[in-house]
Amino acid sequence: MKRRIITLTLFMTFIIAGCSKQEEAPVETPAEKTDEIAEEEPQKEKFLPAEYIWSTYEKSDVLIKLDYPYEDGKHELYVPKISEDAKMEYRKDGELICTINDTLPLTIKEVTACDYTFDGIIDLIIVGKGRRNNETFWLYKGRSPESDRGSFWFSADNETRDSVRDEIGDEYSADKIENFLTGGLETGKISSYAEAYKALIRLHELGKTDYTYNLIYLDDDDIPELVEDAGYLNIYSFSDGKVTHPLIDCAYGVGGCVYYEYAPYKSTLRSFGHDMEEYGNTIYSIKDNMLTTLYDEIGFYESTETKYINHTDEALSDEELKDRIDELNSYSYIEIYGEYQKEEILDMLD
C-alpha cells in the first residue's frame, strides 16, 4: 500500500512539471524561426572571406588605390556603398574617367590593375564573391576611344573569364589569373611583333568567337598590322614593346558599311556604305593610334549630285575639299578581311 502511494505521487509530480514547462516556454515552429532569421542582419562571418576590401554588408564606400606602372598618374577604383543604382567608378588623379556598368560583387577580396591585353591601357582583375556567394573573379578590359569622338571605357571580358575558369581551377588569385592571361609577357618588354601577335591570338582564342586573321602594312614602317575578323574588324599594330589598337570592332557586311579597305603604307583607310537614299565613301586616317574620320563623299540614288563633308579642323573651300578627296581616292586600296585561320597565321608569325 505504501509503494502505491509513492508511485502515484511521483506520477502526479511529472504531469504537473510537464504542464508548467509548456506554459512557460512554448515551442517555436520551423516557419516561425525562418521568418525571424530573415528579418535579422546577415551574419558577416558566414559569408565573407578571411580578408576582403569591400562588402555589401558594410554600410560605407571605399576608394581602392591601383598600382598601374604603365601610365603616370594616381589610379583609383571607387566602390560605393550598396544601393539600387550603385556602380563602381574608375578615377584618375581624382577625376571620374568612367563608371563600370556591371552589378556589384557581394564582396571584393583583391583588385589588380594590369595590362593583360598588352596595349598599354589599364585592365582590371577583381577577385571576390558573386551574388550567389560563390568564389569568382571579373575581368574588365580598358578600352581606348574607338574614334576621335569617343571616350575611355571598361568592357566586361566575360568570354575570356569563363574560359580561364575552366583552365585554372577553383582557387583564384589576381596574380595567378594575370600570369595565365599574359603567359609571363610584360607590356613594354615584348621583343617583337610576332611575339606580341601570337600572345594576342592565344588570348582571344580563349573565348568562343571564331576569328580569321591577316597581316597588312597599314602605316609607313616595315612592321605589319594584325587583322582580326569575326564579321567585325579589329586591327592591331606593334611598337615600343606594346600593342596598339587603331581599328576597334568595326562591323561590315550587307547593309550599312559594306567593306573597309586600306592604302598600303599610307595610314589611310576607306569604308563604303549605303542606305535607302545615299551611298559613298568615308575616308579615315590613323593618328595617335586612333581611327580618325577625315572626309565623306556622298552620292544620291535619285540625283547626280555629290556632297562632300570635311570632318577635319582644316578650312577648305568646296573646290579644295573635292581635290583633297579625289587625291585620297586615287590611292590603290586593298579590302580588309581575315584570310587565314589561326594555325596558318601562327605559321606566318614563326
Side-chain angles (χ1 to χ4, degrees):
M1 183 68 177
K2 190 174 182 180
R3 288 183 181 177
R4 289 183 184 177
I5 292 172
I6 293 172
T7 303
L8 182 59
T9 301
L10 291 173
F11 178 71
M12 291 301 296
T13 301
F14 283 125
I15 291 176
I16 292 168
C19 291
S20 175
K21 193 172 184 179
Q22 287 176 352
E23 289 173 0
E24 291 175 0
V27 177
E28 295 172 312
T29 64
E32 288 171 336
K33 287 185 177 181
T34 302
D35 291 342
E36 184 179 337
I37 291 171
E39 292 172 0
E40 293 178 353
E41 184 77 14
Q43 297 299 306
K44 294 179 188 177
E45 61 271 16
K46 294 182 180 179
F47 298 99
L48 299 184
E51 298 176 359
Y52 64 93
I53 300 171
W54 176 91
S55 161
T56 56
Y57 304 113
E58 296 292 340
K59 304 302 182 184
S60 61
D61 49 16
V62 65
L63 196 59
I64 302 169
K65 181 180 177 181
L66 303 174
D67 181 16
Y68 185 64
Y70 308 117
E71 184 181 338
D72 292 336
K74 182 175 69 174
H75 303 266
E76 296 169 317
L77 182 68
Y78 168 75
V79 189
K81 61 184 179 182
I82 194 70
S83 68
E84 184 177 350
D85 57 350
K87 302 292 182 185
M88 292 183 287
E89 297 176 358
Y90 167 56
R91 299 177 180 181
K92 183 179 177 185
D93 296 327
E95 179 185 352
L96 171 62
I97 303 300
C98 70
T99 58
I100 298 177
N101 294 316
D102 210 348
T103 303
L104 288 175
L106 188 69
T107 67
I108 295 175
K109 187 175 181 180
E110 290 182 273
V111 179
T112 291
C114 62
D115 183 22
Y116 71 83
T117 53
F118 312 112
D119 56 6
I121 299 171
I122 187 170
D123 304 315
L124 298 177
I125 301 172
I126 298 177
V127 179
K129 288 196 173 188
R131 287 291 171 174
R132 297 180 180 178
N133 199 36
N134 57 313
E135 297 285 347
T136 189
F137 65 93
W138 297 262
L139 301 177
Y140 295 103
K141 288 193 294 188
R143 307 296 293 266
S144 61
E146 296 185 2
S147 71
D148 52 316
R149 305 172 189 175
S151 58
F152 178 89
W153 57 294
F154 279 107
S155 65
D157 194 1
N158 295 332
E159 276 197 4
T160 302
R161 178 196 63 183
D162 293 344
S163 297
V164 171
R165 280 176 178 163
D166 295 338
E167 296 287 341
I168 67 173
D170 297 331
E171 294 184 7
Y172 305 130
S173 73
D175 284 345
K176 182 179 180 181
I177 294 164
E178 182 182 358
N179 288 334
F180 179 82
L181 291 170
T182 63
L185 292 182
E186 185 178 345
T187 293
K189 298 182 180 179
I190 304 175
S191 61
S192 67
Y193 74 83
E195 185 178 41
Y197 294 164
K198 285 190 286 187
L200 270 184
I201 291 168
R202 172 188 170 274
L203 176 65
H204 296 172
E205 291 281 342
L206 288 172
K208 299 177 182 178
T209 305
D210 293 326
Y211 295 109
T212 52
Y213 302 92
N214 209 342
L215 295 174
I216 65 174
Y217 289 89
L218 179 57
D219 53 26
D220 59 359
D221 60 29
D222 292 328
I223 297 176
E225 280 67 46
L226 176 69
V227 174
E228 185 181 74
D229 187 354
Y232 52 89
L233 294 170
N234 285 282
I235 294 179
Y236 302 92
S237 190
F238 176 80
S239 61
D240 301 324
K242 67 181 181 180
V243 174
T244 58
H245 196 177
L247 194 71
I248 302 174
D249 294 345
C250 289
Y252 72 97
V254 178
C257 178
V258 180
Y259 57 78
Y260 281 83
E261 49 190 7
Y262 75 104
Y265 299 103
K266 295 184 180 294
S267 295
T268 302
L269 298 94
R270 187 171 67 178
S271 65
F272 176 79
H274 68 88
D275 59 25
M276 296 297 292
E277 298 180 357
E278 59 186 45
Y279 62 92
N281 292 318
T282 298
I283 301 173
Y284 312 88
S285 181
I286 303 297
K287 294 181 179 179
D288 299 325
N289 297 312
M290 184 186 302
L291 185 69
T292 303
T293 306
L294 299 179
Y295 312 107
D296 283 318
E297 178 187 32
I298 302 171
F300 301 89
Y301 290 113
E302 302 297 330
S303 170
T304 58
E305 176 191 2
T306 301
K307 181 170 68 174
Y308 302 99
I309 301 175
N310 180 9
H311 295 284
T312 73
D313 295 331
E314 188 177 7
L316 299 172
S317 67
D318 290 345
E319 185 177 351
E320 289 172 330
L321 177 58
K322 181 181 182 305
D323 289 344
R324 181 69 55 82
I325 292 174
D326 286 345
E327 178 188 359
L328 293 173
N329 279 332
S330 71
Y331 293 167
S332 176
Y333 286 87
I334 301 172
E335 187 174 348
I336 304 172
Y337 65 96
E339 186 175 357
Y340 303 102
Q341 300 297 319
K342 179 184 74 171
E343 292 77 11
E344 295 172 301
I345 200 73
L346 289 176
D347 287 343
M348 295 169 65
L349 291 169
D350 281 340

